[in-house]
Amino acid sequence: QAQLVESGGGLVQAGGSLRLSCAASGIIFSIHNMGWYRQAPGKQRELVATITTGGTTNYAGSVKFRFTISRDNAKNTVYLQMNSLKPEDTAVYYCNAKGPFMDYWGKGTLVTVTS
């Protein structure tokens, strides 16, 4: 059974950093494009960053040059390094795996950035 488990969220002051991890199981990780999405209170879920099977990355404009997505196929894990965090980055962050047949989602990890 496919499962994505996020970790690394927490409370951080503005300007600080966090590193999110998403461990995948039950899927062939290397053939899935991976992504991070977030949902702030009262807002729709939005794309944060994606990384293809070949390592090509894409970022939302609001996080470009502050966040870095990476993947380790040997560990079936995708990461999101978040630097220079802002209060507006506060949200639940979700991991997504897009495969040839199905999409999978994790349950999310909460990131709270205080001013």
Side-chain angles (χ1 to χ4, degrees):
Q1 185 175 355
Q3 191 173 18
L4 302 177
V5 179
E6 302 95 337
S7 61
L11 182 68
V12 64
Q13 287 189 328
S17 298
L18 283 175
R19 189 194 196 202
L20 305 184
S21 299
C22 170
S25 59
I27 63 171
I28 304 174
F29 184 79
S30 61
I31 67 170
H32 285 74
N33 294 325
M34 301 299 297
W36 287 96
Y37 291 73
R38 67 186 181 187
Q39 188 166 17
K43 295 188 177 181
Q44 289 188 328
R45 190 174 297 189
E46 63 176 2
L47 179 147
V48 175
T50 60
I51 184 166
T52 67
T53 56
T56 300
T57 58
N58 181 55
Y59 297 92
S62 60
V63 307
K64 208 169 185 180
F65 309 118
R66 298 189 297 123
F67 291 9
T68 302
I69 189 171
S70 60
R71 64 189 296 160
D72 186 336
N73 288 346
K75 295 183 178 180
N76 289 356
T77 301
V78 62
Y79 303 97
L80 186 68
Q81 177 67 44
M82 306 186 295
N83 298 329
S84 302
L85 283 161
K86 303 175 181 180
E88 51 264 43
D89 295 318
T90 294
V92 177
Y93 283 71
Y94 297 91
C95 179
N96 171 260
K98 290 189 188 299
F101 307 110
M102 287 186 65
D103 280 12
Y104 304 95
W105 291 92
K107 293 183 178 180
T109 185
L110 177 62
V111 172
T112 303
V113 185
T114 61
S115 57

